[in-house]
Amino acid sequence: MSTIVVPTDTKELAIDAVRRAADLLHAGEVVALPTETVYGLGADAFNEAAVAKVFEAKERPSFDPLIVHLPAAADLPRVASVPPEIEEHVGRLAAEFWPGPLTIVLPKTEAVPDLVTAGLPTVAVRVSAHPIMSQIVRALGNPIAAPSANRFGRISPTSASAVEAELGGIIPMIVDGGACSAGLESTIVQIEATEKGKPIFHLLRSGPITPDMLKPFGKIKRRKPTDRPSTEPQDAPGQLASHYAPRTPLRLVENPADFKPEPGKEYALLSYRGEPKDGYLHLADWAEVAVLTPGSGKQAEAAVRLFFVMRQLDESGVDEIIAEPMSEVGLGIAMMDRLRRASVKGVDERPDGTEVA
Ligand code: TXA
Ligand code: MG
């Protein structure tokens, strides 16, 4: 199959791209779509045969449920039946963070095929802020089920060319909406009502909506990052030991003293600032040094660049990628989560933090 990459640079091109993508989705095809977090591989969420194509293209096991994208919060009743005890809390989160990179897990309606939710009684829902995605989901008229547009277990794509590298030749169309502005997959929460006003937010995946941003609305609990038997439905995402992984081994080295280069091996350094005083630059004769914050130096810049840089280093031909740690505050929480999951050490050695904030 040849994969068409459709540009959206001008108003006319964007209108045409939206129409073509909606037509293909309507016909039961899959299309790679831009969102503000990462690119998604979309299908009409109410068309089971189309959703099956998403799993097939990604080689994603059917026990890993998909995220459903809605045009607006007002469309929630089409896919979720919100229990009265959390209705107010859902409303507050939606008002504050939608459209945007927050996914909420809620009891599903019968309209949502079991394949979308991997048989779970709940559905993960969000409203994307990307204007092209937003227009496509409106044009289709049905919700769009879309996981990240990568092969299962690989790095999420944050550009159309990254999608092409993952799924070129396998899917009919990629809508090029430019580089993703957040660069990390959405934050996923499940809401638990409590006796005293504020709810508990179970943080199933950290992401661009940080614990500090959620704190005014409820108490945050992070689920223990345990490995589950791999055939059970994944009701907390990314729990498989290897997730978001480059093909080249990546190792998060939390302390510079723990890295001893082996002779004859070529290493790349993934550095937050590229500052000698951080202690990593002098550890080896690096074949490549990639800096996450060459511009503003801010975390948002690092988040936008993280998957892009991981992908670049993966293609550079080194034997191993060594990642420097970064401070686990704000977006650093989600970035360290992704680095740990990508790291050859896997999730087993994560510090046991059940409470994030
Ligand atoms: O930013 C994002 O969320 C992107 C864009 C495309 O929207 N999507 C994305 O999808 O990251 P994916 O499939 O790579 O990750 C979705 C995660 C899965 O790992 C899954 O475990 C979790 O969401 N999930 C889906 N349905 C769930 C449910 N009912 N309960 C708990 N977790 C669920
Ligand atoms: Mg994914």
Side-chain angles (χ1 to χ4, degrees):
M1 181 184 299
S2 64
T3 303
I4 313 166
V5 181
V6 183
T8 60
D9 308 296
T10 66
K11 210 173 155 194
E12 290 70 30
L13 287 172
I15 291 169
D16 187 52
V18 167
R19 188 186 48 77
R20 290 170 69 183
D23 284 350
L24 267 183
L25 291 166
H26 187 72
E29 275 305 328
V30 296
V31 181
L33 305 167
T35 85
E36 73 278 40
T37 55
V38 301
Y39 274 71
L41 183 62
D44 179 342
F46 291 158
N47 180 340
E48 194 156 5
V51 173
K53 289 184 188 170
V54 171
F55 284 94
E56 201 180 315
K58 286 195 55 147
E59 295 170 34
R60 182 182 178 109
S62 58
F63 55 75
D64 199 0
L66 310 183
I67 291 178
V68 171
H69 299 70
L70 298 175
D75 297 288
L76 206 47
R78 297 182 71 189
V79 296
S81 43
V82 181
E85 66 273 19
I86 62 167
E87 207 171 337
E88 186 191 337
H89 309 307
V90 173
R92 286 215 186 106
L93 289 182
E96 181 75 14
F97 300 111
W98 282 356
L102 180 72
T103 296
I104 307 176
V105 173
L106 294 164
K108 81 175 195 76
T109 59
E110 274 188 12
V112 182
D114 283 337
L115 187 59
V116 171
T117 65
L120 289 169
T122 53
V123 61
V125 191
R126 85 178 187 98
V127 177
S128 169
H130 195 293
I132 300 290
M133 177 65 172
S134 178
Q135 288 168 48
I136 292 171
V137 70
R138 272 171 217 283
L140 177 64
N142 272 353
I144 293 178
S148 51
N150 50 275
R151 301 280 188 113
F152 183 68
R154 297 258 306 134
I155 308 168
S156 293
T158 52
S159 67
S161 63
V163 178
E164 217 176 353
E166 290 287 325
L167 299 172
I170 295 170
I171 59 172
M173 184 184 287
I174 301 169
V175 178
D176 187 347
C180 300
S181 61
L184 297 171
E185 305 90 343
S186 62
T187 303
I188 306 182
V189 295
Q190 195 156 14
I191 306 169
E192 184 192 329
T194 61
E195 303 283 291
K196 322 170 238 146
K198 277 197 177 179
I200 295 170
F201 297 141
H202 295 275
L203 190 61
L204 305 185
R205 178 170 72 187
S206 53
I209 304 299
T210 63
D212 282 344
M213 293 161 80
L214 288 167
K215 230 171 11 191
F217 304 92
K219 192 172 151 54
I220 294 139
K221 275 199 179 162
R222 181 153 67 179
R223 207 176 279 187
K224 246 181 157 181
T226 40
D227 265 356
R228 336 186 100 216
S230 57
T231 48
E232 273 181 30
Q234 295 285 298
D235 67 343
Q239 289 197 338
L240 302 172
S242 165
H243 216 82
Y244 317 107
R247 293 201 171 90
T248 311
L250 179 148
R251 183 154 41 118
L252 175 65
V253 177
E254 306 236 11
N255 184 338
D258 296 340
F259 178 61
K260 306 264 182 301
E262 284 172 40
K265 256 185 146 181
E266 285 214 323
Y267 295 95
L269 177 66
L270 175 58
S271 170
Y272 187 76
R273 304 191 298 176
E275 286 271 356
K277 65 180 175 214
D278 294 334
Y280 289 81
L281 278 182
H282 65 270
L283 292 180
D285 184 11
W286 305 105
E288 302 275 344
V289 175
V291 176
L292 291 174
T293 58
S296 69
K298 301 249 169 72
Q299 280 188 323
E301 183 188 19
V304 166
R305 284 174 51 74
L306 182 66
F307 289 153
F308 170 78
V309 165
M310 271 167 66
R311 203 168 269 282
Q312 251 183 353
L313 293 181
D314 196 12
E315 283 157 16
S316 72
V318 296
D319 297 306
E320 194 172 357
I321 302 165
I322 301 299
E324 267 180 31
M326 61 183 87
S327 69
E328 258 170 292
V329 294
L331 288 171
I333 298 168
M335 287 190 275
M336 282 292 278
D337 170 75
R338 304 308 189 267
L339 286 174
R340 289 202 175 97
R341 291 183 194 284
S343 178
V344 282
K345 282 186 187 166
V347 291
D348 300 341
E349 297 186 16
R350 293 173 63 149
D352 184 351
T354 34
E355 285 279 320
V356 174

